[in-house]
Amino acid sequence: MQEEAVTATVDWLIQAAFAGRSESELLQGVCDRFVAGGLPLKRVAAGSGLLHPTIDSRGFRWVRGEPVQREEYFHDRVSLDDWEKSPFRTLVEGNESSMRRRLDGDYRSGEYELLDTLKAEGCTDYYALIHRNGDPEVSGKVGSMVSSWTIDRPGGYSDLEIAQLERVGWAFALGYQSRSLHSTIRTLLETYLGAGAAQRVLGGNINRGQADAIQTIIWYSDLQHFTRIADEVEREHLLSFLNEYAACLVESIEAHGGEVLKFIGDGILAIFADDDMGIARSNALDAAFRAEAKIAALSETRLAQGQRTTDFYLALHCGDLLFGNFGSANRLDFTVLGPAVNEASRIGGMCRSLDQRVIVSSAFAEGAGPRRRDLVSLGRYALRGVGQPQELFTIDRSASRAS
């Protein structure tokens, strides 16, 4: 490539990263420019580790004449054997910053399965780079980015082309990692705050006391007899027990448009928001039905395996809340506040004494519209800390309703 083309490619990468281009777009753009400049790239791959609850690492692969492909490797499906055979492992676990194999020269067949395949496909030179971020705040799992650049021209790379790859590689790695870290920030916020709260925080809502008034459906659930179970189940099995049941509830909530705001021990606080509160109520009830089915299926499986089982209690309520930042100057929580949250907790506490899995408030029932037929009154009860007794309802499980 001409030096002018290399400079133009570096400039484009910097501008494209600031413009918000994705990792795949950056890879496509740099490969297009290399090929247009006369470098016969055949295959280029790039990737890095992730801070993600389920995904271990993410990569992108460009092959000449094909669209860029994204590849994700999950924590529970990462093959150690595949990693052992990867050229990237040599870079990640070693001290070198680059690795070159002349596939049509002195490459020793059998060293890497991938390179054997590339050689059989007519590739002639393989050059891989690793860019390690020296900042200890971002080092480790997300601190390294690897890339490989393969051509199929007889004779492979010239020394000048290797130098150009290294120069462009720095700009590509910087742009790639900036986009990857942006995705990581969003993932972490969504994982620990919820999607809606994360969007608000990323939008600039981070000032203490900054909150919006919302009307919403409140979901407050916990697991039956969890305190006793926690005392009886071996500690190494307790977390997996809790995670399996929490997964059923969270998946049910999110499947019907709800947003989990907080885990409180074995309890879950979530909201269902919609411009039409009737739709929000319907979504919450559908989530409750789904949760019952999923919890029952999980318990059946665990029982067959001789493992401990449980069920859940759920309160559904509605009310006006403040949704925003609360806490100290240096430690904030993005959550909801208001009397309705406390009332939902008190209603949830009635599940045990009334022997009901699901209890909903009169405020919820009154606006349920057609879904009111799913509910049946339990009578009026005084709630601790709530001024007036109120009528409570549960799901109607009568034979006529089931039919």
Side-chain angles (χ1 to χ4, degrees), residues 78-99:
V78 173
S79 170
L80 182 61
D81 186 54
D82 288 343
W83 177 242
E84 291 286 343
K85 297 177 181 178
S86 171
F88 282 162
R89 172 179 171 269
T90 301
L91 286 176
V92 171
E93 298 182 0
N95 297 317
E96 300 298 323
S97 61
S98 64
M99 182 180 74

Side-chain angles (χ1 to χ4, degrees), residues 157-229:
Y157 293 113
S158 67
D159 291 342
L160 176 61
E161 288 168 340
I162 289 293
Q164 291 173 337
L165 274 179
E166 290 181 345
R167 180 182 169 193
V168 172
W170 279 107
F172 176 60
L174 188 61
Y176 183 102
Q177 284 292 66
S178 72
R179 301 310 307 162
S180 181
L181 287 173
H182 182 273
S183 298
T184 295
I185 290 170
R186 178 175 291 277
T187 295
L188 291 175
L189 286 174
E190 290 180 351
T191 299
Y192 287 96
L193 296 181
Q199 184 60 43
R200 290 172 185 247
V201 170
L202 287 170
N205 189 340
I206 60 172
N207 297 326
R208 183 171 62 151
Q210 182 178 354
D212 297 321
I214 62 170
Q215 187 180 42
T216 188
I217 301 303
I218 304 160
W219 167 298
Y220 191 93
S221 65
D222 60 3
L223 298 180
Q224 294 184 12
H225 314 301
F226 182 73
T227 301
R228 188 176 73 231
I229 292 171

Side-chain angles (χ1 to χ4, degrees), residues 223-242:
L223 298 180
Q224 294 184 12
H225 314 301
F226 182 73
T227 301
R228 188 176 73 231
I229 292 171
D231 288 336
E232 297 173 353
V233 172
E234 295 180 6
R235 182 160 298 184
E236 59 267 28
H237 300 307
L238 183 60
L239 189 59
S240 61
F241 169 89
L242 185 58

Side-chain angles (χ1 to χ4, degrees), residues 298-311:
L298 172 61
S299 292
E300 183 178 356
T301 298
R302 290 181 61 88
L303 191 61
Q305 296 171 346
Q307 297 178 312
R308 190 65 179 266
T309 65
T310 189
D311 208 326

Side-chain angles (χ1 to χ4, degrees), residues 23 29 32 56 64 97 132-133 139 143 149 156 162 204 211 225 233 241 243 270 275 317 324 329 336 364 370 378:
E23 296 96 320
D32 288 345
D56 177 78
R64 190 168 61 216
S97 61
R132 296 181 175 90
N133 194 316
S139 62
W149 312 76
I162 289 293
H225 314 301
V233 172
F241 169 89
N243 284 339
D275 292 337
H317 188 31
V336 289
F364 184 101
L378 294 169

Side-chain angles (χ1 to χ4, degrees), residues 1-17 25-39 41 149 164-165 167-173 175:
M1 288 180 66
Q2 297 295 320
E3 282 302 309
E4 295 81 359
V6 174
T7 299
T9 300
V10 171
D11 290 343
W12 176 83
L13 281 167
I14 295 171
Q15 294 168 7
E25 290 174 320
L26 293 175
L27 179 58
Q28 184 71 57
V30 73
C31 290
D32 288 345
R33 283 162 174 77
F34 267 130
V35 171
L39 188 65
L41 291 172
W149 312 76
Q164 291 173 337
L165 274 179
R167 180 182 169 193
V168 172
W170 279 107
F172 176 60

Side-chain angles (χ1 to χ4, degrees), residues 42-79:
K42 172 66 175 178
R43 178 187 184 275
V44 179
S48 64
L50 294 177
L51 282 177
H52 192 281
T54 58
I55 304 173
D56 177 78
S57 57
R58 177 181 294 140
F60 297 85
R61 186 178 69 249
W62 174 94
V63 176
R64 190 168 61 216
E66 300 178 11
V68 172
Q69 298 292 320
R70 184 167 83 167
E71 301 172 325
E72 293 180 337
Y73 303 91
F74 295 83
H75 293 297
D76 59 350
R77 286 178 247 164
V78 173
S79 170

